[in-house]
Amino acid sequence: MLNEVERWLATRSWSVTDRPLHRIMAAKRATGRTVSVVLPALNEEATVGDIVAVIRHDLMQQVPLVDEIVVVDSGSTDRTSQVAAAAGARVVHRDDILPRIPAVPGKGEVLWRSLLVTTGDIVCFIDADLQEFSSDFVSGIVGPLLTDPGVDLVKGMYDRPLGGAAGQGGRVTELMARPLLNMHWPQLAGFVQPLGGEYAARRSLLEQLPFPVGYGVELGMLVDALHLVGLDALAQVDVGVRKHRHQDGQALGRMSAAIYRTAQLRLARGHLIRPALTQFERGREGFEPRTYSVDTEERPPMTEIPEYVKRRAA
């Protein structure tokens, strides 16, 4: 590990207990910064309501840390929108945001569009499939952005159990993302959960970043933020344990392909020969190929979108 990373781990890796809530609230009052929480959601009716309810109770009613909760529904066919609204979130459909640009499927697409329907100086992203959710996930990663003006982006770090086994979650992280980062961007080797969906950043940073439309968004954001603001502006906070719905191996393969493609684009903006991934499933007559396209599209920095610039100037 680079000496720079060892120093970073000692100075930019914290625990949620390092910043008590009263200290975070004092910093919020002193700075006047506002906080938006965004939940990208696709068929998450089983969990999204509980997450919204916990954030509202702990961080809006008990203490006014969060100024708005927005759930961006990316095309759910279940009751995700109704459950989220009943729990107290403002629900916006992905297709209703910036309709002149047709939406494409993908998590990064939803996160990018969320910048147009939120107002916070700090934007906190939380995945909508978390179970046994604690508001520490929000206060923990928002805290450094309110108390330390030198920090621009904070990732959550946590244990990820899988089937009762501690630390066995995050298979794509260990098999794809961590090797890529260690080999090509060793300054980012200190991130425990580089692909984690719980992170917060200053709007002033997010609006300058391109957003890969799919699963590559987290890796792309880390790499681009490193080049834009430097390692010392990035941080991570230990928020405990993250429990969520795990995906099967083939879904993880497609996720890995998108993440590799995101890395490839950042290593060299060269010609892509075949943006597709073929996997195999056993059918009635043996193994049958299934070919999936790999996310290759990226949305430009929001500062290049006229509607966003106009809104910011208003």
Side-chain angles (χ1 to χ4, degrees), residues 38-42 44 48 70-74 80 106-107 110-111 124-129 197:
V38 172
L39 279 71
L42 176 63
E44 302 293 357
V48 68
V70 178
V71 171
V72 183
D73 190 326
S74 59
T80 290
K107 179 183 179 182
V110 173
L111 300 185
C124 175
F125 299 119
I126 300 290
D127 280 350
D129 66 341

Side-chain angles (χ1 to χ4, degrees), residues 116 301-314:
L116 269 162
M302 197 54 84
T303 51
E304 297 178 12
I305 301 299
E307 291 90 336
Y308 184 83
V309 174
K310 181 178 178 180
R311 193 197 72 163
R312 294 286 284 170

